[in-house]
Amino acid sequence: MYSKKVMDHYEHPRNVGQIVGADGVGKVGNPVCGDIMKIYLKIKDNVIVDVKFKTFGCGAAIATSSISTELVKGKTIEEALDITNKRVVDELDGLPPAKMHCSVLAEEAIKAAIADYYTKKGMSKEDIDKVCSLKNTVCVHSHDIGQE
Amino acid sequence: MKIKYFDHAATTKLNEDVLKEMLPYLTEEYGNPSSIYSLGRSNKKAIEDAREKVAKVFNADAKEIYFTGSGSESDNTAIKGVAYANRKKGNHIITTKIEHPAVLDTCKSLEKDGFEVTYLNVDSEGLVDLEELKNAITDKTILITIMFANNEIGTIQPIEEIGKIAKQHKIYFHTDAVQAVGNIDIDVNKLNIDLLSLSAHKFYGPKGVGALYVRKTVRFNKFIDGGHQERNKRAGTENVAGIVGLSKAIEMAYEKLDENNRHLKELRDLYISEIEEKIPYVKLNGHREKRLPGNANISFKFIEGESLLLNLDIKGICASSGSACTSGSLDPSHVLLAIGLIHEVAHGSLRVTFGIENTKEDVIELITELEEIVNRLREMSPLYEDFVDGTYTM
């Protein structure tokens, strides 16, 4: 059901952990759906110099978080904001249809972390909304028990 | 890599002696049981011998056993068959919130056709409340359908008491015993069971064959129209090899019932006690004593079930989770929610179901792997981080 790339990121997730004194922290998802992603950013001169994540969720949620941290590391904030969920899916060689929401969650987590950074910088909520347009994610799952 | 299989509630490995009994009916004994010549008659006899064997296990009469294609088909036949045949008497059915989808969806489908269904609650250990059951009965109630033992959490219902209540009120009592058969001694007369569903592949028999016990006095409609097979209740040329396999498997399961149960309980209790001792923040789901001998369902807080299963799979370990739900839905297992678990704890559930070929060494290996995996997943869980920080409680 998962591509080799997803399983690789799942088995060997990159950039797991937290950054003490992070410049921006984004937390999205909710425990009811079964997915929570938290991304920590260290930003210097508009560049994301370090990134870490923690995720509660399925294999796809962990893999999308992991690849997203790779995608934003060393990038400018503007470049990071350009990363779409589609890009996340493509980088993982696809996701099962029921797991597409995990890629949206990853995109949202990055944006939420950047929004937090801007908030700390004193930017107004309206201006943040303009640059970090957040969507509302929907959770969809597949299940094993009950079908046997 | 050697597979370590701990998912016997999902299915079991076909027993080799069972396969041996089946093989002739897949090869040289290919006659149609309805044919008059000897090649047909020998097949007919094989089916009737199988029926005798199954009936004997339940202290029933051979005429009360019907072979079907699965446990789900047995459930459908029992519930719809009774509902439509007794519609003039009433249109009310009582079941529980923790039934298998084969029962729940059948009831939902009957609701669309004018039947009324009461879905009983269960307590935090998964048991129905007999008072609630009694209070739910009306003069329109025609059927009570309550599972013998739950497939996810293993809780065993007070079937004898339920049978008594049903009998007192002259209401038919059906039980989905798919998980119980092969694990629990069942006397349909002692327990006042009127209909009982079972499936062969749960007790080391073949897939694609089930059976339904129906007490002689029960009125029920035929389920598949066509030929006169199964005393005109279920048309279709019989799955002779499957039926022979089912009967051999059930016979073997009950010959060694006590011995097998002792072994399964030993593995189950070892697993539960070791996990509770070695891993913090866990919760046993289901009743501690009134549970299937091989079932252990434990929630590991702060982590999610699918990622747990994937990690176990990497190590060649097979188990199940009630984590996420049927595709397109938002909720975890309906059973775990019915016993009152909050969503995130339900998402972190792991069902381990032991089988007769599992050993103590297998269980110890499973525990060792789990300790490591749970630790690793908690280290990367934002819920656990918040819990340690004191900003999240569950």
Side-chain angles (χ1 to χ4, degrees), chain B residues 146-150 155-157 159 175-177 180 184 186 191 193:
Chain B
I146 294 180
M147 70 198 325
F148 207 117
N150 186 267
T155 301
I156 300 168
Q157 298 299 339
I159 293 297
T175 186
D176 171 359
I184 299 171
I186 301 172
L191 301 177
I193 294 167

Side-chain angles (χ1 to χ4, degrees), chain B residues 108-128:
Chain B
K108 280 179 198 146
S109 138
L110 285 171
E111 280 182 294
K112 286 181 196 145
D113 201 16
F115 287 89
E116 280 173 27
V117 182
T118 301
Y119 299 90
L120 299 175
N121 293 303
V122 292
D123 66 13
S124 61
E125 289 169 318
L127 288 169
V128 295

